[in-house]
Amino acid sequence: MRILVLGSGAREHAIVLALRREHVGHELYAAPGNAGIAQETELVTLDPVDPAAVADFAIRNNIELVVIGPEAPLVAGVADALRTRGIPVFGPGKAAAALEGSKTFAKRIMDEAGVPTGRAVRSGSLAEVEAALDEFGAPYVVKADGLAAGKGVLVTGERDAAIAHATHWLQHGSVLIEEFLDGQEVSLFLLSDGTTVIPLSPAQDYKRLGDGDTGPNTGGMGAYSPLPWLDERFGSESAFVDEVIETIALPTVRRLADEDTPFIGLLYCGLILTDTGIRVIEFNARFGDPETQVVLPRLVTPLSGLLLAAANGELGGVARPQFSRDACVTVVLASENYPDAPITGRQITGLAAAEAVPGVTIAHAATAHSNAVHAGAVQNADELVATGGRVLSVVATGADFGEARSRAYEALAQIGLEGGQFRSDIAARVVESTP
Ligand code: AMP
Ligand code: GLY
């Protein structure tokens, strides 16, 4: 199949690797891609947030499926432009992507669909913020209303910090003050064709920068899949997944269809398992990063068939995808000073040695060859350099979590990046609890 993947992160590299693994003969294109994606696909010079440019390219090149990785092209209306011109696309249109782009919209849909979520108050002024903080009490949860690249949420016990965060984001629009929810977090991805959903296997993400869930929120510093502890709590993974489908995913997809904004693409349910039940903390309109890096390596069913069936409204006849029983762990390597102001341009070494560890692959994110970045500015031509905050994901599979985790950290130890940061506790607790 001729497939175009939009995006440049480790998530998109993981998608491309899954497509390559299912069928070496696929003709894959990526825009803008990165140095790792370039090893598997042809990189296309194309602005991924320009709807007409993407549609023109797809038509000129007989693309049979476009897979949209990040949120920005969705919010820019790229999927709408492709659909209008009859090109199968995995990713919702602009209106349905507001499920991620606007927390106010997401709350309204959940409210109308009867989907369980935290109570929230939208505040447009500092006075409203203060009143809402006092109503809910500590710990305080403050969320920017629009897209904030994973940096819009602050959970804090300090009222002053909550007010400072709200003051910052009020300059960009309104903020939501939300009830604090306590419990394990789960990311569950569902493919949706607008009416039918089919689930992938759940994963857990580590959102905070530092070990022991300390430091600022990030885009995600690591993940693992599956979640063995779901079995104890729900009897089985599929019992948990069924509950999410019945109480959350299907009501949401139906509500969006009723509003003539069908959701075709990946419904990412960010969930907290509280003592009183499953609650949605956020929806995203795309695959999660880094969860995709641990979900797709376990997928046995060919990915392209699933994405195409969703794009074409044909999930009704599709069986639930199969996943291997392998344990999968990913650890993200980030640049110094991520997430505030990452230092870029530094050389990355040791990837071949890292990938020589059994079960390990590297999903590239912010990587480029130095001669492609600034010809002349870097002394050694063609070094691999870091170009952003989250640089790469080390992905390791193993027969159990002990094996997957030790392989991931063994591989990381081979990689050089001055000032590089990573968490050392990814999947540590799951190893302790599953001997
Ligand atoms: P979000 O960007 O909405 O996923 O939020 C980022 C992180 O903040 C989540 O993964 C949670 O760890 C935390 N968080 C968000 N909302 C809440 C909430 N209502 N209660 C507790 N923690 C939350
Ligand atoms: N890992 C969180 C996200 O993709 O939003």
Side-chain angles (χ1 to χ4, degrees):
M1 207 190 300
R2 295 168 70 83
I3 306 172
L4 169 65
V5 177
L6 297 183
S8 63
R11 160 185 56 208
E12 288 76 22
H13 195 183
I15 291 169
V16 161
L17 287 169
L19 294 170
R20 193 49 86 212
R21 182 164 49 88
E22 76 175 42
H23 184 49
V24 287
H26 283 317
E27 290 181 53
L28 303 179
Y29 301 84
N34 60 37
I37 293 172
Q39 293 167 7
E40 310 295 333
T41 71
E42 184 176 319
L43 296 194
V44 180
T45 310
L46 181 64
D47 181 357
V49 296
D50 180 341
V54 174
D56 286 347
F57 173 86
I59 286 179
R60 269 202 318 276
N61 293 279
N62 301 317
I63 297 295
E64 294 161 279
L65 174 66
V66 179
V67 182
I68 301 182
E71 57 273 33
L74 301 171
V75 172
V78 170
D80 303 281
L82 289 163
R83 242 170 238 125
T84 303
R85 294 173 70 178
I87 301 151
V89 50
F90 184 78
K94 185 176 182 164
L99 205 56
E100 167 164 5
S102 162
K103 294 204 188 278
T104 307
F105 177 79
K107 286 286 183 194
R108 177 177 68 76
I109 295 293
M110 284 190 265
D111 207 29
E112 289 169 1
V115 167
T117 184
R119 281 186 308 124
V121 174
R122 183 178 173 190
S123 310
S125 71
L126 207 51
E128 287 171 10
V129 165
E130 293 197 49
L133 292 174
D134 293 337
E135 184 198 331
F136 287 120
Y140 303 105
V141 181
V142 182
K143 299 188 173 187
D145 190 19
L147 286 180
K151 296 171 198 164
V153 176
L154 181 71
V155 181
T156 178
E158 309 295 323
R159 194 170 179 279
D160 289 350
I163 288 176
H165 188 78
T167 304
H168 172 79
W169 286 103
L170 277 172
Q171 297 165 33
H172 303 269
S174 54
V175 299
L176 259 69
I177 308 300
E178 193 170 287
E179 159 191 21
F180 176 77
L181 300 170
D182 195 18
Q184 287 275 7
E185 289 187 37
V186 178
S187 302
L188 182 65
F189 300 162
L190 299 111
L191 308 172
S192 170
D193 66 0
T195 49
T196 300
V197 296
I198 64 169
L200 301 184
S201 184
Q204 190 169 54
D205 179 19
Y206 290 72
K207 289 239 168 68
R208 300 288 192 114
L209 181 68
D211 282 2
D213 294 330
T214 54
N217 266 320
T218 69
M221 294 299 291
Y224 66 91
S225 176
L227 309 180
W229 44 269
L230 281 177
D231 295 356
E232 276 160 45
R233 190 156 169 174
F234 292 87
S236 66
E237 176 180 308
S238 62
F240 164 77
V241 167
D242 288 343
E243 185 173 336
V244 177
I245 290 176
E246 290 311 316
T247 62
I248 294 168
L250 271 181
T252 300
V253 164
R254 287 190 185 127
R255 180 72 216 140
L256 288 166
D258 287 347
E259 295 200 0
D260 281 334
T261 53
F263 190 96
I264 300 165
L266 194 118
L267 180 66
Y268 167 136
C269 298
L271 307 166
I272 288 195
L273 313 188
T274 73
D275 287 345
T276 51
I278 305 172
R279 300 276 184 284
V280 175
I281 37 170
E282 66 165 344
F283 283 128
N284 292 317
R286 43 142 187 106
F287 280 103
D289 186 344
E291 297 97 314
T292 301
Q293 290 92 296
V294 290
V295 171
L296 293 188
R298 300 184 45 242
L299 177 65
V300 175
T301 311
L303 178 64
S304 65
L306 296 170
L307 302 183
L308 189 65
N312 287 337
E314 292 166 354
L315 281 183
V318 172
R320 279 197 188 180
Q322 302 286 306
F323 284 86
S324 82
R325 302 174 75 92
D326 284 346
C328 195
V329 172
T330 190
V331 183
V332 171
L333 176 65
S335 292
E336 182 174 351
N337 262 341
Y338 173 77
D340 290 337
I343 298 175
T344 61
R346 288 182 173 161
Q347 189 184 359
I348 307 159
T349 59
L351 295 195
E355 289 201 281
V357 176
V360 168
T361 52
I362 307 292
H364 289 231
T367 66
H369 290 286
S370 56
N371 57 1
V373 191
H374 324 273
V378 180
Q379 285 184 336
N380 299 328
D382 215 25
E383 296 174 336
L384 191 68
V385 293
T387 58
R390 290 193 294 173
V391 176
L392 54 82
S393 285
V394 173
V395 182
T397 51
D400 56 33
F401 278 103
E403 186 174 62
R405 179 178 144 75
S406 60
R407 286 172 164 180
Y409 283 103
E410 187 188 334
L412 252 172
Q414 311 300 314
I415 300 177
L417 173 67
E418 185 190 343
Q421 321 178 59
F422 60 87
R423 279 183 65 157
S424 66
D425 63 346
I426 305 299
R429 263 194 288 166
V430 72
V431 173
E432 283 161 28
S433 60
T434 51

Tab-separated table of all heavy atoms in Angstrom, residues 103-104 106-107 110 116-123 128-129 132-145 153-156 162 166 175-182 270-272 274 279-283:
chain	number	residue	atom	x	y	z
A	103	LYS	N	-10.565	21.832	25.889
A	103	LYS	CA	-11.047	21.078	27.052
A	103	LYS	C	-12.498	21.419	27.355
A	103	LYS	O	-13.248	20.581	27.855
A	103	LYS	CB	-10.134	21.320	28.249
A	103	LYS	CG	-8.734	20.752	28.013
A	103	LYS	CD	-7.977	20.434	29.282
A	103	LYS	CE	-6.523	20.055	29.023
A	103	LYS	NZ	-6.288	18.677	28.636
A	104	THR	N	-12.899	22.647	27.023
A	104	THR	CA	-14.299	23.025	27.239
A	104	THR	C	-15.224	22.185	26.352
A	104	THR	O	-16.254	21.683	26.802
A	104	THR	CB	-14.498	24.524	26.909
A	104	THR	OG1	-13.543	25.266	27.642
A	104	THR	CG2	-15.892	24.976	27.251
A	106	ALA	N	-14.524	19.228	25.084
A	106	ALA	CA	-14.484	17.840	25.567
A	106	ALA	C	-15.410	17.670	26.774
A	106	ALA	O	-16.145	16.685	26.869
A	106	ALA	CB	-13.048	17.453	25.923
A	107	LYS	N	-15.375	18.624	27.684
A	107	LYS	CA	-16.239	18.532	28.883
A	107	LYS	C	-17.712	18.563	28.484
A	107	LYS	O	-18.532	17.851	29.057
A	107	LYS	CB	-15.935	19.683	29.851
A	107	LYS	CG	-14.625	19.528	30.604
A	107	LYS	CD	-14.700	18.459	31.706
A	107	LYS	CE	-13.408	18.397	32.482
A	107	LYS	NZ	-13.291	17.186	33.314
A	110	MET	N	-18.659	15.193	27.007
A	110	MET	CA	-18.737	14.172	28.063
A	110	MET	C	-19.993	14.354	28.892
A	110	MET	O	-20.677	13.391	29.244
A	110	MET	CB	-17.493	14.238	28.960
A	110	MET	CG	-16.280	13.626	28.306
A	110	MET	SD	-14.909	13.450	29.462
A	110	MET	CE	-13.997	14.933	29.162
A	116	PRO	N	-18.204	9.615	32.563
A	116	PRO	CA	-17.676	10.030	33.864
A	116	PRO	C	-16.336	10.758	33.773
A	116	PRO	O	-15.382	10.246	33.220
A	116	PRO	CB	-17.509	8.702	34.622
A	116	PRO	CG	-17.401	7.651	33.553
A	116	PRO	CD	-18.196	8.150	32.382
A	117	THR	N	-16.282	11.959	34.325
A	117	THR	CA	-15.053	12.760	34.316
A	117	THR	C	-15.049	13.632	35.562
A	117	THR	O	-16.048	13.703	36.277
A	117	THR	CB	-14.975	13.612	33.028
A	117	THR	OG1	-13.727	14.308	33.010
A	117	THR	CG2	-16.103	14.610	32.941
A	118	GLY	N	-13.922	14.297	35.828
A	118	GLY	CA	-13.844	15.177	36.990
A	118	GLY	C	-14.712	16.415	36.787
A	118	GLY	O	-14.841	16.914	35.675
A	119	ARG	N	-15.301	16.901	37.880
A	119	ARG	CA	-16.047	18.165	37.789
A	119	ARG	C	-15.058	19.274	37.496
A	119	ARG	O	-13.937	19.274	38.002
A	119	ARG	CB	-16.745	18.473	39.107
A	119	ARG	CG	-18.022	17.687	39.322
A	119	ARG	CD	-18.739	18.143	40.584
A	119	ARG	NE	-17.843	18.140	41.745
A	119	ARG	CZ	-17.609	19.196	42.510
A	119	ARG	NH1	-18.186	20.356	42.271
A	119	ARG	NH2	-16.785	19.103	43.542
A	120	ALA	N	-15.467	20.231	36.675
A	120	ALA	CA	-14.546	21.314	36.314
A	120	ALA	C	-15.308	22.615	36.156
A	120	ALA	O	-16.491	22.616	35.824
A	120	ALA	CB	-13.837	20.987	35.007
A	121	VAL	N	-14.603	23.712	36.436
A	121	VAL	CA	-15.186	25.036	36.261
A	121	VAL	C	-14.286	25.803	35.301
A	121	VAL	O	-13.071	25.849	35.479
A	121	VAL	CB	-15.252	25.788	37.613
A	121	VAL	CG1	-15.714	27.225	37.404
A	121	VAL	CG2	-16.176	25.065	38.568
A	122	ARG	N	-14.889	26.396	34.279
A	122	ARG	CA	-14.117	27.201	33.332
A	122	ARG	C	-14.034	28.622	33.866
A	122	ARG	O	-15.043	29.201	34.249
A	122	ARG	CB	-14.824	27.179	31.994
A	122	ARG	CG	-14.068	27.915	30.942
A	122	ARG	CD	-14.798	27.809	29.629
A	122	ARG	NE	-14.152	28.668	28.661
A	122	ARG	CZ	-14.665	28.927	27.480
A	122	ARG	NH1	-15.813	28.382	27.134
A	122	ARG	NH2	-14.037	29.711	26.649
A	123	SER	N	-12.808	29.166	33.883
A	123	SER	CA	-12.612	30.491	34.469
A	123	SER	C	-11.909	31.384	33.467
A	123	SER	O	-10.913	30.991	32.866
A	123	SER	CB	-11.745	30.399	35.731
A	123	SER	OG	-12.251	29.396	36.595
A	128	GLU	N	-12.409	34.513	39.126
A	128	GLU	CA	-13.122	33.233	38.950
A	128	GLU	C	-12.215	32.062	39.314
A	128	GLU	O	-12.666	31.069	39.896
A	128	GLU	CB	-13.596	33.087	37.497
A	128	GLU	CG	-14.774	33.985	37.147
A	128	GLU	CD	-15.100	33.985	35.648
A	128	GLU	OE1	-14.540	33.154	34.897
A	128	GLU	OE2	-15.899	34.829	35.247
A	129	VAL	N	-10.940	32.175	38.945
A	129	VAL	CA	-9.980	31.115	39.274
A	129	VAL	C	-9.917	30.930	40.786
A	129	VAL	O	-10.027	29.808	41.314
A	129	VAL	CB	-8.573	31.450	38.718
A	129	VAL	CG1	-7.505	30.562	39.348
A	129	VAL	CG2	-8.555	31.310	37.192
A	132	ALA	N	-12.940	29.260	42.211
A	132	ALA	CA	-13.020	27.833	41.884
A	132	ALA	C	-11.997	27.034	42.690
A	132	ALA	O	-12.297	25.934	43.177
A	132	ALA	CB	-12.795	27.632	40.374
A	133	LEU	N	-10.787	27.581	42.864
A	133	LEU	CA	-9.772	26.873	43.654
A	133	LEU	C	-10.284	26.657	45.073
A	133	LEU	O	-10.126	25.571	45.650
A	133	LEU	CB	-8.466	27.674	43.696
A	133	LEU	CG	-7.684	27.795	42.374
A	133	LEU	CD1	-6.489	28.737	42.551
A	133	LEU	CD2	-7.209	26.432	41.884
A	134	ASP	N	-10.921	27.673	45.610
A	134	ASP	CA	-11.392	27.554	46.993
A	134	ASP	C	-12.574	26.596	47.097
A	134	ASP	O	-12.734	25.906	48.093
A	134	ASP	CB	-11.730	28.939	47.544
A	134	ASP	CG	-10.459	29.777	47.677
A	134	ASP	OD1	-9.369	29.157	47.765
A	134	ASP	OD2	-10.541	31.008	47.655
A	135	GLU	N	-13.356	26.547	46.034
A	135	GLU	CA	-14.495	25.615	46.066
A	135	GLU	C	-13.994	24.157	46.069
A	135	GLU	O	-14.457	23.336	46.847
A	135	GLU	CB	-15.374	25.866	44.836
A	135	GLU	CG	-16.636	25.010	44.835
A	135	GLU	CD	-17.260	24.920	43.453
A	135	GLU	OE1	-17.113	25.873	42.653
A	135	GLU	OE2	-17.887	23.871	43.180
A	136	PHE	N	-13.011	23.862	45.198
A	136	PHE	CA	-12.538	22.474	45.107
A	136	PHE	C	-11.565	22.108	46.229
A	136	PHE	O	-11.504	20.965	46.651
A	136	PHE	CB	-11.868	22.213	43.748
A	136	PHE	CG	-12.823	22.127	42.595
A	136	PHE	CD1	-12.743	23.003	41.527
A	136	PHE	CD2	-13.816	21.158	42.583
A	136	PHE	CE1	-13.631	22.915	40.462
A	136	PHE	CE2	-14.708	21.052	41.516
A	136	PHE	CZ	-14.619	21.948	40.452
A	137	GLY	N	-10.749	23.076	46.669
A	137	GLY	CA	-9.745	22.796	47.695
A	137	GLY	C	-8.523	22.096	47.119
A	137	GLY	O	-8.489	21.718	45.950
A	138	ALA	N	-7.492	21.891	47.963
A	138	ALA	CA	-6.245	21.256	47.526
A	138	ALA	C	-6.415	19.733	47.505
A	138	ALA	O	-7.263	19.214	48.235
A	138	ALA	CB	-5.116	21.632	48.483
A	139	PRO	N	-5.586	18.970	46.715
A	139	PRO	CA	-4.670	19.488	45.698
A	139	PRO	C	-5.415	20.153	44.546
A	139	PRO	O	-6.507	19.707	44.179
A	139	PRO	CB	-3.942	18.234	45.213
A	139	PRO	CG	-4.466	17.083	45.972
A	139	PRO	CD	-5.578	17.510	46.824
A	140	TYR	N	-4.788	21.185	44.001
A	140	TYR	CA	-5.418	21.970	42.946
A	140	TYR	C	-5.033	21.434	41.571
A	140	TYR	O	-3.887	21.053	41.354
A	140	TYR	CB	-4.959	23.425	43.051
A	140	TYR	CG	-5.250	24.037	44.399
A	140	TYR	CD1	-4.222	24.239	45.333
A	140	TYR	CD2	-6.541	24.406	44.757
A	140	TYR	CE1	-4.479	24.802	46.577
A	140	TYR	CE2	-6.809	24.965	46.006
A	140	TYR	CZ	-5.775	25.157	46.913
A	140	TYR	OH	-6.036	25.697	48.135
A	141	VAL	N	-5.998	21.428	40.650
A	141	VAL	CA	-5.737	21.016	39.261
A	141	VAL	C	-6.119	22.179	38.360
A	141	VAL	O	-7.286	22.583	38.329
A	141	VAL	CB	-6.560	19.762	38.879
A	141	VAL	CG1	-6.252	19.345	37.435
A	141	VAL	CG2	-6.265	18.603	39.840
A	142	VAL	N	-5.129	22.724	37.639
A	142	VAL	CA	-5.346	23.881	36.756
A	142	VAL	C	-4.959	23.474	35.351
A	142	VAL	O	-3.856	22.968	35.130
A	142	VAL	CB	-4.480	25.089	37.198
A	142	VAL	CG1	-4.755	26.293	36.297
A	142	VAL	CG2	-4.729	25.426	38.652
A	143	LYS	N	-5.869	23.668	34.389
A	143	LYS	CA	-5.599	23.245	33.005
A	143	LYS	C	-5.822	24.389	32.033
A	143	LYS	O	-6.862	25.048	32.080
A	143	LYS	CB	-6.541	22.095	32.597
A	143	LYS	CG	-6.387	20.852	33.445
A	143	LYS	CD	-7.184	19.688	32.890
A	143	LYS	CE	-6.861	18.425	33.671
A	143	LYS	NZ	-7.480	17.231	33.092
A	144	ALA	N	-4.859	24.586	31.140
A	144	ALA	CA	-5.070	25.511	30.019
A	144	ALA	C	-6.175	24.929	29.150
A	144	ALA	O	-6.255	23.710	28.972
A	144	ALA	CB	-3.785	25.651	29.219
A	145	ASP	N	-7.017	25.791	28.578
A	145	ASP	CA	-8.150	25.279	27.805
A	145	ASP	C	-7.725	24.730	26.439
A	145	ASP	O	-8.270	23.749	25.968
A	145	ASP	CB	-9.200	26.385	27.633
A	145	ASP	CG	-10.486	25.840	27.043
A	145	ASP	OD1	-10.701	24.611	27.100
A	145	ASP	OD2	-11.283	26.632	26.524
A	153	VAL	N	-1.065	21.593	32.135
A	153	VAL	CA	-1.717	21.103	33.342
A	153	VAL	C	-0.780	21.245	34.540
A	153	VAL	O	0.387	20.868	34.468
A	153	VAL	CB	-2.107	19.624	33.176
A	153	VAL	CG1	-2.703	19.069	34.461
A	153	VAL	CG2	-3.091	19.466	32.027
A	154	LEU	N	-1.306	21.796	35.631
A	154	LEU	CA	-0.528	21.805	36.877
A	154	LEU	C	-1.386	21.179	37.975
A	154	LEU	O	-2.550	21.545	38.153
A	154	LEU	CB	-0.147	23.238	37.284
A	154	LEU	CG	0.684	23.289	38.581
A	154	LEU	CD1	2.095	22.745	38.355
A	154	LEU	CD2	0.751	24.700	39.151
A	155	VAL	N	-0.791	20.218	38.666
A	155	VAL	CA	-1.423	19.627	39.842
A	155	VAL	C	-0.523	20.003	41.014
A	155	VAL	O	0.666	19.673	41.009
A	155	VAL	CB	-1.524	18.096	39.705
A	155	VAL	CG1	-2.206	17.496	40.933
A	155	VAL	CG2	-2.281	17.710	38.443
A	156	THR	N	-1.050	20.716	41.987
A	156	THR	CA	-0.199	21.227	43.053
A	156	THR	C	-0.975	21.384	44.358
A	156	THR	O	-2.180	21.617	44.337
A	156	THR	CB	0.406	22.603	42.659
A	156	THR	OG1	1.191	23.098	43.749
A	156	THR	CG2	-0.665	23.627	42.328
A	162	ALA	N	-0.769	27.427	41.942
A	162	ALA	CA	-1.958	27.248	41.098
A	162	ALA	C	-2.351	28.592	40.485
A	162	ALA	O	-2.669	28.678	39.287
A	162	ALA	CB	-3.114	26.678	41.929
A	166	ALA	N	-2.355	29.618	36.500
A	166	ALA	CA	-3.590	30.122	35.885
A	166	ALA	C	-3.348	31.504	35.278
A	166	ALA	O	-3.796	31.791	34.162
A	166	ALA	CB	-4.713	30.173	36.917
A	175	VAL	N	-9.020	29.112	31.454
A	175	VAL	CA	-8.454	27.929	32.114
A	175	VAL	C	-9.579	27.137	32.780
A	175	VAL	O	-10.655	27.670	33.037
A	175	VAL	CB	-7.372	28.292	33.170
A	175	VAL	CG1	-6.206	29.024	32.537
A	175	VAL	CG2	-7.957	29.093	34.307
A	176	LEU	N	-9.281	25.854	33.012
A	176	LEU	CA	-10.234	25.019	33.743
A	176	LEU	C	-9.655	24.693	35.117
A	176	LEU	O	-8.487	24.319	35.214
A	176	LEU	CB	-10.461	23.694	33.011
A	176	LEU	CG	-11.724	23.574	32.177
A	176	LEU	CD1	-11.626	24.480	30.968
A	176	LEU	CD2	-11.931	22.153	31.734
A	177	ILE	N	-10.469	24.844	36.130
A	177	ILE	CA	-10.092	24.377	37.463
A	177	ILE	C	-10.882	23.087	37.673
A	177	ILE	O	-12.100	23.063	37.473
A	177	ILE	CB	-10.454	25.411	38.554
A	177	ILE	CG1	-9.882	26.796	38.206
A	177	ILE	CG2	-9.998	24.926	39.924
A	177	ILE	CD1	-8.389	26.857	38.064
A	178	GLU	N	-10.155	22.015	38.024
A	178	GLU	CA	-10.810	20.711	38.035
A	178	GLU	C	-10.658	20.031	39.382
A	178	GLU	O	-9.673	20.246	40.093
A	178	GLU	CB	-10.182	19.846	36.941
A	178	GLU	CG	-10.952	18.588	36.628
A	178	GLU	CD	-10.410	17.902	35.376
A	178	GLU	OE1	-10.641	18.400	34.267
A	178	GLU	OE2	-9.728	16.880	35.523
A	179	GLU	N	-11.617	19.208	39.679
A	179	GLU	CA	-11.576	18.354	40.869
A	179	GLU	C	-10.354	17.426	40.777
A	179	GLU	O	-10.057	16.885	39.705
A	179	GLU	CB	-12.879	17.560	40.852
A	179	GLU	CG	-12.939	16.308	41.621
A	179	GLU	CD	-14.201	15.494	41.295
A	179	GLU	OE1	-14.830	15.685	40.227
A	179	GLU	OE2	-14.551	14.660	42.121
A	180	PHE	N	-9.625	17.229	41.873
A	180	PHE	CA	-8.475	16.312	41.877
A	180	PHE	C	-8.987	14.869	41.908
A	180	PHE	O	-9.851	14.518	42.709
A	180	PHE	CB	-7.605	16.577	43.106
A	180	PHE	CG	-6.453	15.614	43.233
A	180	PHE	CD1	-5.326	15.759	42.450
A	180	PHE	CD2	-6.511	14.553	44.136
A	180	PHE	CE1	-4.264	14.864	42.549
A	180	PHE	CE2	-5.451	13.655	44.240
A	180	PHE	CZ	-4.328	13.820	43.441
A	181	LEU	N	-8.429	14.047	41.015
A	181	LEU	CA	-8.810	12.629	40.961
A	181	LEU	C	-7.597	11.802	41.355
A	181	LEU	O	-6.492	12.055	40.881
A	181	LEU	CB	-9.255	12.255	39.543
A	181	LEU	CG	-10.459	13.029	38.994
A	181	LEU	CD1	-10.637	12.749	37.509
A	181	LEU	CD2	-11.723	12.657	39.765
A	182	ASP	N	-7.826	10.814	42.178
A	182	ASP	CA	-6.716	10.034	42.717
A	182	ASP	C	-6.823	8.589	42.228
A	182	ASP	O	-7.894	7.988	42.326
A	182	ASP	CB	-6.806	10.069	44.250
A	182	ASP	CG	-5.506	9.599	44.880
A	182	ASP	OD1	-4.469	9.586	44.180
A	182	ASP	OD2	-5.546	9.227	46.064
A	270	GLY	N	-7.527	9.083	28.141
A	270	GLY	CA	-6.647	9.226	29.301
A	270	GLY	C	-7.510	9.074	30.540
A	270	GLY	O	-8.402	9.884	30.778
A	271	LEU	N	-7.280	7.997	31.303
A	271	LEU	CA	-8.213	7.600	32.363
A	271	LEU	C	-7.527	7.580	33.723
A	271	LEU	O	-6.326	7.306	33.812
A	271	LEU	CB	-8.732	6.188	32.068
A	271	LEU	CG	-9.320	5.997	30.670
A	271	LEU	CD1	-9.482	4.516	30.350
A	271	LEU	CD2	-10.657	6.722	30.569
A	272	ILE	N	-8.304	7.851	34.770
A	272	ILE	CA	-7.824	7.599	36.134
A	272	ILE	C	-8.794	6.611	36.773
A	272	ILE	O	-10.023	6.777	36.673
A	272	ILE	CB	-7.744	8.899	36.971
A	272	ILE	CG1	-6.572	9.774	36.483
A	272	ILE	CG2	-7.525	8.582	38.455
A	272	ILE	CD1	-6.139	10.884	37.414
A	274	THR	N	-10.290	5.671	39.803
A	274	THR	CA	-10.500	6.122	41.180
A	274	THR	C	-11.202	5.022	41.969
A	274	THR	O	-11.701	4.044	41.392
A	274	THR	CB	-11.365	7.399	41.237
A	274	THR	OG1	-12.720	7.042	40.937
A	274	THR	CG2	-10.885	8.452	40.241
A	279	ARG	N	-12.601	7.329	35.495
A	279	ARG	CA	-12.909	8.707	35.097
A	279	ARG	C	-11.989	9.116	33.950
A	279	ARG	O	-10.818	8.741	33.930
A	279	ARG	CB	-12.631	9.689	36.234
A	279	ARG	CG	-13.414	9.452	37.496
A	279	ARG	CD	-14.796	10.104	37.424
A	279	ARG	NE	-15.500	9.941	38.695
A	279	ARG	CZ	-16.064	8.807	39.100
A	279	ARG	NH1	-16.021	7.731	38.338
A	279	ARG	NH2	-16.673	8.752	40.259
A	280	VAL	N	-12.520	9.935	33.042
A	280	VAL	CA	-11.692	10.489	31.964
A	280	VAL	C	-10.959	11.712	32.499
A	280	VAL	O	-11.591	12.614	33.058
A	280	VAL	CB	-12.571	10.907	30.768
A	280	VAL	CG1	-11.723	11.592	29.689
A	280	VAL	CG2	-13.291	9.696	30.197
A	281	ILE	N	-9.628	11.751	32.331
A	281	ILE	CA	-8.938	13.017	32.618
A	281	ILE	C	-8.699	13.803	31.354
A	281	ILE	O	-8.639	15.015	31.383
A	281	ILE	CB	-7.585	12.878	33.361
A	281	ILE	CG1	-6.803	11.672	32.918
A	281	ILE	CG2	-7.766	12.944	34.839
A	281	ILE	CD1	-5.397	11.690	33.459
A	282	GLU	N	-8.536	13.136	30.241
A	282	GLU	CA	-8.453	13.874	28.983
A	282	GLU	C	-8.725	12.921	27.835
A	282	GLU	O	-8.537	11.712	27.943
A	282	GLU	CB	-7.063	14.501	28.792
A	282	GLU	CG	-5.969	13.470	28.614
A	282	GLU	CD	-4.658	14.042	28.073
A	282	GLU	OE1	-4.647	15.166	27.550
A	282	GLU	OE2	-3.649	13.330	28.166
A	283	PHE	N	-9.189	13.516	26.735
A	283	PHE	CA	-9.219	12.814	25.460
A	283	PHE	C	-8.146	13.419	24.572
A	283	PHE	O	-7.949	14.632	24.597
A	283	PHE	CB	-10.554	13.026	24.737
A	283	PHE	CG	-11.697	12.215	25.264
A	283	PHE	CD1	-12.893	12.836	25.596
A	283	PHE	CD2	-11.605	10.838	25.404
A	283	PHE	CE1	-13.970	12.101	26.059
A	283	PHE	CE2	-12.682	10.086	25.867
A	283	PHE	CZ	-13.866	10.732	26.192
